[in-house]
Amino acid sequence: MTKQKQSLIISFLIGFAILAGLDQWTKGLAVQSLKGQKPFVIWNGVFEFYYSENRGAAFGMMQEKQLFFFLIAVLVLGAVAYLIWKMPPEGRYRPLAVCLMMISAGAVGNMIDRVSQGYVVDFLYFKLINFPIFNVADCYVTVGAACLVFLIMFYYKDEDMACFSFKKH
């Protein structure tokens, strides 16, 4: 393995650990400061910190399906590990690595909650549009996935993505 490839993997793992740690820290703050309390209003009628325990997926769907969510997270992490391993260490692929880092950190952040508590701590609430309550890990997954779609559609060309093929070149 080249030094550039080692640097890519180490950078990915450090960023991943920082993001997952930040997610867990914010959830810890939510539990400590918001659990059993009235919502903390940031902007009246628009945004507040509102403690919630989510035993389902996004928007509260699929309640009590913890094993399913665990398996999905493991599959996501396996796919990300494959892509990072196959990824050329060139700077052109750094945005892709950051997207994958965000998605995997979000998946692990919520998986930690599911395994340790049986639910995910949510606390960010856009009251103005009555958007479902979410957390920092959800933000990572959403932003990472949206940027990934953008990169694949508009930035990378087919030949840039050939390195991830299962076919031998």
Side-chain angles (χ1 to χ4, degrees):
M1 182 181 322
T2 67
K3 289 210 182 271
Q4 287 178 314
K5 185 66 165 193
Q6 284 177 336
S7 175
L8 171 69
I9 292 170
I10 290 169
S11 297
F12 177 89
L13 292 173
I14 290 170
F16 167 85
I18 290 169
L19 291 178
L22 180 62
D23 170 66
Q24 290 298 297
W25 179 68
T26 59
K27 289 174 181 172
L29 287 176
V31 170
Q32 180 183 0
S33 303
L34 300 171
K35 188 173 184 176
Q37 305 295 320
K38 291 183 179 180
F40 184 83
V41 177
I42 302 296
W43 186 358
N44 194 26
V46 178
F47 182 76
E48 58 192 34
F49 294 138
Y50 187 108
Y51 181 83
S52 176
E53 296 174 357
N54 184 355
R55 288 169 170 75
F59 313 119
M61 296 182 298
M62 299 179 65
Q63 295 290 311
E64 305 297 337
K65 305 285 186 208
Q66 303 306 339
L67 179 60
F68 173 76
F69 298 128
F70 181 81
L71 293 175
I72 293 297
V74 168
L75 287 172
V76 166
L77 293 174
V80 167
Y82 171 80
L83 293 170
I84 292 295
W85 185 257
K86 297 286 280 184
M87 186 178 295
E90 301 160 16
R92 175 164 182 71
Y93 292 94
R94 295 294 176 174
L96 179 60
V98 170
C99 291
L100 296 173
M101 177 180 54
M102 291 177 73
I103 292 167
S104 58
V108 166
N110 283 339
M111 185 169 60
I112 290 169
D113 283 14
R114 291 184 201 289
V115 169
S116 66
Q117 303 167 150
Y119 58 85
V120 174
V121 173
D122 288 332
F123 59 93
L124 302 170
Y125 179 44
F126 279 102
K127 189 173 186 174
L128 178 68
I129 58 173
N130 194 26
F131 194 80
I133 305 167
F134 58 101
N135 61 45
V136 173
D138 298 333
C139 294
Y140 296 158
V141 171
T142 303
V143 171
C147 290
L148 182 64
V149 167
F150 178 83
L151 288 171
I152 291 171
M153 289 179 66
F154 301 110
Y155 182 70
Y156 295 113
K157 297 182 179 14
D158 288 345
E159 53 270 15
D160 294 326
M161 304 307 280
C163 59
F164 302 112
S165 172
F166 287 110
K167 298 176 187 175
K168 294 203 178 213
H169 299 284

